[in-house]
Amino acid sequence: MAAASSLHAAPRVGSSSPFSSSSAGRRSASAARSVRVAAAAGSGAARRAGGRMVARAAVASKAESPASAASSKSDGHEVLLFEALREALIEEMKEDPTVCVFGEDVGHYGGSYKVTKGLAEMFGDLRVLDTPIAENSFTGMGVGAAMKGLRPVVEGMNMGFLLLAYNQISNNCGMLHYTSGGQFKIPIVIRGPGGVGRQLGAEHSQRLESYFQSIPGLQMVACSTPYNAKGLMKAAIRSENPVVLFEHVLLYNLKEKIPDEEYVLCLEEAEMVRPGEHVTILTYSRMRYHVMQAAKTLVNKGYDPEVIDIRSLKPFDLHTIGNSIKKTHRVLIVEECMRTGGIGASLRSAIIDNFWDYLDAPIMCLSSQDVPTPYAAPLEDATVVQPAQIVAAVEQICQ
């Protein structure tokens, strides 16, 4: 499944390789050349050809985990989730002058959620490019830049707006490596806020995971903490694949301590949030916090749920998921995506195909209602899975 979804995935290698001793020189050079993106592309290509492919791999070793990283030599520093994303962008743009940012208001305004605040002053107006309100055009420009050797990060001010760029993401971004016979790679990151916020209305509450999951050649990840937001952003930028990074609009102000040392996470690896014995709960993004809230109630009732943040929406980490199912024999999927054709439906199918013999109960899936998200707050809450529903579902599965 993973092989089918990653047409030209980078090999799995450790992410702990230090940058070469010449990185300081490259950083000063990149500042001088920030207005010459084309020259930067040639520099980046030459550097990758000169043995830099390991540093561009978008994976980390299997042994790495947030716990092990947090217990590193340094005590780390506290950041909000949007600040962690910004740190990742700054670090990668300093290291590699082929990395650039496109989008509406990403420049001197700093982005609608301040993920790109200060980047235009640091790297210049051509590496942090403010675009017109023309999603199809600037996403296509990002695909073309990636074909020519740059590593663009394209921001959708709101993920719902990227529906206007669906043609570029589907027919070009995901397929050009294959349709060109391998002549082009498309190392592009498409990112932005999505999900159900607080009374943002139907058009600004889109969850596009279900729209993009069927596009061949496209990888999808969803961040849920400052730690994994930074690690996944860095991994996505370094990947040779086109990657869509989903950020939830309500999680930007989450605070967490992250390591001072550099780290890069694996794009294809789930995170064990809470080990348990009775039932496997699979979730991602904002629903991780609804699940953990429900887990407190479940523990008080005598249940021991195992919680996994799948993080990689395409391909699924069936290794981690399968090991959990072989232990608990029961599965609950909790998502904010729509029930019809959502991530939960695909995940349920993959579990049935691969782990049917280990299941002692039917798989349950809690998803958002198949309705446009209402503006009224009580109705909005009614369309999204709540902790009480998760508790009731686990009690039903474990009967």
Side-chain angles (χ1 to χ4, degrees), residues 308-384:
I308 295 176
D309 184 341
I310 63 173
R311 289 198 314 208
S312 176
L313 308 185
K314 182 183 178 183
F316 297 129
D317 179 7
L318 293 180
H319 174 80
T320 300
I321 293 169
N323 284 343
S324 179
I325 293 171
K326 291 173 185 177
K327 177 173 61 173
T328 67
H329 308 291
R330 291 171 174 82
V331 180
L332 171 64
I333 302 169
V334 182
E335 63 175 347
E336 196 179 82
C337 199
M338 300 299 186
R339 170 172 293 276
T340 301
I343 296 295
S346 297
L347 186 53
R348 190 204 306 246
S349 176
I351 292 170
I352 290 172
D353 287 347
N354 291 278
F355 307 111
W356 173 261
D357 290 340
Y358 297 96
L359 294 172
D360 289 344
I363 301 171
M364 289 191 67
C365 183
L366 299 178
S367 311
S368 291
Q369 301 297 313
D370 282 335
V371 297
T373 304
Y375 175 78
L379 295 177
E380 182 181 67
D381 288 342
T383 67
V384 178

Side-chain angles (χ1 to χ4, degrees), residues 15-33:
S15 66
S16 58
S17 303
F19 291 120
S20 67
S21 59
S22 62
S23 64
R26 282 199 304 274
R27 287 172 183 149
S28 62
S30 69
R33 289 176 295 179

